[in-house]
Amino acid sequence: MDYILAPSILAADFKKLGQDVETVAAAGAEYIHIDVMDGMFVPSISFGMPVMASIRSCTDKVFDVHMMVEEPGRYAEAVKAAGGDLMCVHQEACKHLDRTIQQIHSLGMKAGVALNPATPVETVEWVLDQLDMVLIMSVNPGFGGQKFIPYAIEKVGRLRAMIEEKGLSVDIQVDGGVGLDNVGRLLDAGANIIVAGSAVFKNDAAANVKEFLKIFKEHENR
Ligand code: DX5
Ligand code: ZN
C-alpha cells in the first residue's frame, strides 16, 4: 500500500501560508489538506476559495479540499475554479449525496465522502463504488488540535473490509488528532491517507513531515 501525508493548513501560520505550503510539499507531503468551514455545518469559519486560489501557484501537489459546509454541492464549481483536485463532502451535509458525488466527478475532480465520528461506515455502502476516498473523522470537525477518538480505528478496519469485500480500491483518509504516536495503528487498520495539522506545523514542519514519512516507509516494507 502507498501511504500519503496530507498536512492540514488550518494549523499553518497564515501570515506566511504560501511558504508553509512550499515547506511541507518540498519535505514530501503529496496532498495539501484544505479545511473549508462555513460556520453552519461546524461552529467555526476558516477560509474559502480566494485563499485556496492564492496558494495554488505554490505547488502542484494535490489540493485535497475538506468541505465542512452545508450542501457543499453549491460550491463544487468554485472549488474546481480555485484549484481543487479532490473534493470531500460530509455525508451528514448532503441531502442528495449520490447526486453531489456525480457533480464533483462531472467537474473532473476526485470525490470523497467524510463521516463524522458517530456516523456509521455503512452509510456510504451504496455509493462506495463511485468514490475515490472515504474520510473517517477521528475528532468532531470544526477545530484543529483536538484529542483523537480511539474508536475511529475500528471504523477504519470495518470500512477497509467492506472495500475489499466489494473488490474496490478506495482510499481511506483519517483526520483529527493524528500524530506520530497513533499513526501506525491507523495504517495497520487500513488507512492510507493521513491528515495531520498540529502534528505537522508545530515547531519544524519539514522535520515533522519526514518523521511521518519514515513511519510510512516502515509500514510499506511490511
Ligand atoms: C478538523 C479538521 C482537521 C484539522 C486537523 O475539523 O478537519 O483537518 O485541521 O487538525 P489536527 O491534526 O491538529 O487535529
Ligand atoms: Zn480536515
Side-chain angles (χ1 to χ4, degrees):
M1 180 108 57
D2 281 340
Y3 298 116
I4 290 170
L5 184 67
S8 163
I9 59 166
L10 193 61
D13 181 351
F14 291 166
K15 73 176 178 297
K16 56 175 183 66
L17 182 56
Q19 208 178 308
D20 278 7
V21 169
E22 283 164 9
T23 300
V24 293
E30 293 298 330
Y31 281 24
I32 304 297
H33 185 81
I34 300 174
D35 287 307
V36 179
M37 302 180 185
D38 67 351
M40 288 292 286
F41 180 69
V42 291
S44 37
I45 296 174
S46 55
F47 46 73
M49 283 36 119
V51 171
M52 207 196 304
S54 74
I55 51 170
R56 188 59 281 191
S57 60
C58 296
T59 178
D60 53 11
K61 302 288 183 181
V62 171
F63 269 17
D64 158 29
V65 188
H66 179 190
M67 297 292 282
M68 284 162 277
V69 171
E70 286 293 346
E71 292 301 345
R74 296 177 293 149
Y75 299 104
E77 280 179 31
V79 168
K80 173 70 183 177
D85 298 300
L86 188 168
M87 178 166 159
C88 187
V89 299
H90 270 263
Q91 186 271 353
E92 307 85 359
C94 300
K95 208 169 273 170
H96 303 287
L97 184 62
D98 181 288
R99 180 186 289 146
T100 305
I101 294 164
Q102 290 183 44
Q103 195 187 350
I104 295 168
H105 278 148
S106 73
L107 290 162
M109 291 185 284
K110 286 189 172 185
V113 171
L115 301 177
N116 280 339
T119 305
V121 294
E122 287 76 14
T123 56
V124 290
E125 183 174 1
W126 296 103
V127 290
L128 210 45
D129 62 345
Q130 298 183 54
L131 293 179
D132 299 288
M133 183 182 91
V134 176
L135 164 51
I136 300 289
M137 289 303 302
S138 41
V139 297
N140 289 292
F143 309 94
Q146 302 182 79
K147 201 168 163 292
F148 181 78
I149 296 174
Y151 65 71
I153 300 175
E154 198 180 331
K155 288 180 72 180
V156 169
R158 207 181 281 192
L159 178 62
R160 182 53 76 195
M162 197 189 288
I163 291 167
E164 280 173 3
E165 203 175 293
K166 290 176 182 286
L168 300 170
S169 70
V170 180
D171 291 323
I172 301 181
Q173 184 175 65
V174 180
D175 182 10
V178 182
L180 297 170
D181 55 324
N182 55 9
V183 66
R185 280 182 285 151
L186 291 164
L187 304 182
D188 287 340
N192 66 310
I193 305 181
I194 298 297
V195 178
S198 30
V200 164
F201 287 103
K202 65 165 189 234
N203 309 321
D204 184 341
N208 294 332
V209 168
K210 298 221 165 87
E211 287 300 319
F212 273 101
L213 298 185
K214 207 196 284 176
I215 297 177
F216 290 0
K217 263 255 135 51
E218 286 162 16
H219 277 256
E220 270 160 23
N221 297 334
R222 275 191 187 176

